[in-house]
Structures are given as C-alpha cells and as structure tokens.
Amino acid sequence: MTGDRLIIGGYEFKSRLFVGTGKYKDFAETKKAIEASGADVVTVAVRRVNITDRSKENLLDYIDPKKYTILPNTAGCYNVEDALRYARLARAAGVSDLIKLEVLGDERTLFPDTVGLLEAAKILVKEGFIVLPYTNDDPIVAQKLVDIGCPCVMPLAAPIGSGLGIRNPYNLKIIMEMVKVPIVVDAGVGTASDAALAMELGADAVLMNTAIAGAKDPIAMAEAMKYAVLAGRLAYKAGRIPRKLYATASSPIEGML
Amino acid sequence: MMTEAIQIQVNGEPRGCRADATVGDLLRELAIKTERVAVELNLEILDRKEFDQRGLKQGDRVEILSFIGGGSSTDYSVRVS
C-alpha cells in the first residue's frame, strides 16, 4: 500500500505498527524484533543513567534515531507533576518534541488518570510538545484531548501488558468516528488477530510492546504483527461485507444438472 | 587540596567532587557522553549548552537520565485463565 502514509504532528510514517522496547532479553533481541516488525515509531522510557557500571550499553546504540522516530514516554508517572518532569527531561535528552504522555491512575490496572492526563496535556501542548496521549477508551476524553491540541489519540484496547485484546470494540469505533485525528490503539493486544481487528475497526495504527517482547519467539511475533497490521489496514480500506444471519450461495445455480 | 572538597548527590548516591567542578566536569569524570542525556540540577533541567558553565556546590542534587527500553508502564502481572 504505497502512498498510504500516516501523519501525526507533522511526522510521516510508512508503518502503522508502533513498538515498545521494554522487556526484551537484550538490546540485540530488541533490535532484531524492531527490524522484523517494520515499525518506524519506537517508544522508549526515560530513566537514571547507571553511573556505577558504565560498561552498560546504550539502547540508542542499537536503535538508530536517524532510522526510527524515537517516542519517549512518561511511563510510571502517577501524577501531573511527574509526567511533566519526565516529558521535559525527555525533550532535554534531545531526540524531539514528541512525547507519549501517560498519567496513570492505579498500579494494578495501569489505567490512565484521564483528569490528570488532560491537565498535563494542556500544559505540554502549550510548551510546544507534540503530545501523543495514552488514554482510556472514552470518546469524550478523546475529543477533549483533541480540543487541547493533541495530534492523535491513543486509547487502550485492554490494560497494558494484559494481552486481553480488544475489549471494547464499540467504544473504539465511536472514538474513530467522532475524533478527527489519527487513532492509535495502544496497549492490550495479545496476538496478531487482535492487531488486525484494531485495524479493521478503522484504527490508524497500533502500538504494542508486551505482545511482541513477551512472546516465546519475539522476532517471529514481531513479523506476525507487521502482517496483521497490514492485513487489517487493507481489509478496512477494502470494506468488509455486511454480516447476515443466513447463507448466500457463492456458486451459481445455473448450469447445474 | 583540589580533590573531594565538596559532597554532592548524583542519581541518589553521595559523591565527592572538586569544589570548582562544573556539571560538564562531572559528566566527563563519569564517562557519560552528553548527547542524549538530560541533566537536572536541584530539580532544574539544564540546557546542554549550560553543562560547562554550571558549577557544583555542596549538597547539590544532580540527576542524569537517558533513554532505556520501555513501551508502557511496567506490567502488573496477574494471570487470567
């Protein structure tokens, strides 16, 4: 599908699969999985540098920021203040103005605190960040994020790392219909069919980490996800047949004995 | 005596450094490349250009951060059937 590009905040992407870099065995595996996924957008976290063991390698030695769009996140932030701090640190570390904004509400579900999210998004947009918000599958919050100035909305399919798949396809569909910016389904995907379903619903992209990194063979799963996202996108654009209760023969009756 | 004149905190750990040291000196001493790191001095995020100008003083808290692997927040693993 050449020409079927995704544009978010002025950035243009060929692949509609965004991948995380957490939970891999090592950087070599991370690199191979990302290559197999065909992703352009790669998420990273911001953490303290290990100052006692400087032999530790740097992730960005493996994931070339010239080749990939690095999307830093505010993972692990449970309040507006922390999320702002991490977003500003990510920008200071010098990759770009992009930030995947997470403000979490609860450790067990990792569900977003959408009140905090809206507050933080408003401030960061004012500071010139390109804010990609991780949010709940709530259409009203999604619209508010767009009104604030977010160039896309990233509703969850299911809790982060749960692998439960698309739990609420109807809400996601409503968000896709209501909101006039790209929708990235973020979190909850378990396997390839989940990613395909998200794309068939009309998502503009899917973001995942655990589904690939946690698979028995992460590199093979990364490749599976690449095809799932492509297949789902193609099926969405092709337009599926309506569901009917009864059969419709596909072979002609004419010419039968 | 030039060395170990003041005590600062770097990434939560106490550390001695020269009284006339700058943030840039500290990064060089730790063999940290300045590209792709962010430095916070007493909660103030520094511009990379300031590293060699900002001097350290007794009790300063320095945070040095960089990018690591991450997708979303760490999982809370509870298996469902």
Side-chain angles (χ1 to χ4, degrees):
Chain A
M1 280 199 295
T2 43
D4 184 32
R5 300 289 172 95
L6 171 64
I7 297 173
I8 295 175
Y11 288 79
E12 192 176 309
F13 309 115
K14 282 198 294 282
S15 170
R16 289 171 181 272
L17 173 59
F18 296 6
V19 295
T21 51
K23 307 172 96 179
Y24 285 99
K25 192 176 68 194
D26 51 37
F27 288 151
E29 188 186 68
T30 315
K31 183 184 163 93
K32 275 190 205 151
I34 289 168
E35 280 169 0
S37 77
D40 296 322
V41 180
V42 175
T43 68
V44 298
V46 180
R47 292 292 181 268
R48 278 174 166 167
V49 169
N50 187 335
I51 54 167
T52 44
D53 181 9
R54 294 299 307 137
S55 67
K56 284 250 169 101
E57 293 171 299
N58 189 318
L59 175 67
L60 294 190
D61 293 336
Y62 284 79
I63 315 298
D64 183 0
K66 289 191 201 80
K67 201 167 150 202
Y68 297 98
T69 300
I70 306 296
L71 175 59
N73 63 29
T74 62
C77 293
Y78 285 86
N79 57 61
V80 173
E81 225 169 87
D82 283 349
L84 296 177
R85 186 181 183 192
Y86 276 83
R88 290 164 182 156
L89 283 164
R91 179 153 76 177
V95 178
S96 71
D97 293 332
L98 289 167
I99 190 76
K100 177 188 165 184
L101 181 61
E102 292 184 31
V103 183
L104 303 168
D106 164 59
E107 275 186 33
R108 190 144 194 241
T109 59
L110 296 176
F111 280 146
D113 168 359
T114 51
V115 176
L117 178 70
L118 287 164
E119 199 185 324
K122 199 178 273 182
I123 296 165
L124 292 173
V125 166
K126 269 197 196 125
E127 291 181 11
F129 282 89
I130 299 166
V131 179
L132 283 63
Y134 161 68
T135 184
N136 221 322
D137 55 9
D138 178 338
I140 307 303
V141 172
Q143 184 57 53
K144 286 186 182 194
L145 288 161
V146 175
D147 294 342
I148 283 169
C150 296
C152 82
V153 178
M154 308 210 291
L156 54 83
I160 292 167
S162 70
L164 289 175
I166 316 290
R167 295 198 315 174
N168 198 341
Y170 302 105
N171 266 38
L172 290 177
K173 189 79 198 162
I174 291 171
I175 294 175
M176 288 161 199
E177 291 201 7
M178 264 179 71
V179 169
K180 303 295 173 220
V181 297
I183 303 300
V184 181
V185 170
D186 178 7
V189 164
T191 187
S193 53
D194 297 335
L197 176 58
M199 295 306 291
E200 285 171 11
L201 284 169
D204 294 279
V206 181
L207 194 162
M208 66 182 74
N209 189 161
T210 309
I212 295 174
K216 270 187 197 148
D217 182 342
I219 293 142
M221 187 58 91
E223 196 178 0
M225 291 300 185
K226 173 171 88 177
Y227 293 124
V229 168
L230 272 173
R233 177 68 181 169
L234 276 167
Y236 170 71
K237 301 252 292 188
R240 60 154 297 145
I241 59 161
R243 289 177 174 86
K244 287 184 291 187
L245 193 56
Y246 294 101
T248 313
S250 47
S251 305
I253 305 290
E254 260 179 52
M256 283 189 77
L257 296 175
Chain B
M1 284 289 284
M2 287 279 289
T3 49
E4 308 282 311
I6 56 168
Q7 276 291 120
I8 58 170
Q9 255 196 27
V10 182
N11 286 3
E13 299 292 325
R15 185 180 182 89
C17 86
R18 291 193 330 262
D20 62 348
T22 64
V23 170
D25 293 331
L26 175 68
L27 291 170
R28 277 183 290 275
E29 192 186 317
L30 292 167
I32 292 170
K33 282 185 248 160
T34 56
E35 54 175 19
R36 297 182 204 130
V37 295
V39 177
E40 219 183 49
L41 176 59
N42 302 323
L43 299 178
E44 180 201 347
I45 297 170
L46 302 184
D47 193 293
R48 192 163 287 123
K49 286 179 292 232
E50 295 177 272
F51 290 172
D52 281 325
Q53 283 129 51
R54 296 296 291 262
L56 295 164
K57 57 181 192 316
Q58 176 68 30
D60 272 351
R61 280 174 302 132
V62 183
E63 294 287 352
I64 306 164
L65 298 99
S66 189
F67 298 116
I68 64 143
S72 294
S73 297
T74 326
D75 294 351
Y76 195 94
S77 297
V78 180
R79 200 169 264 280
V80 286
S81 60

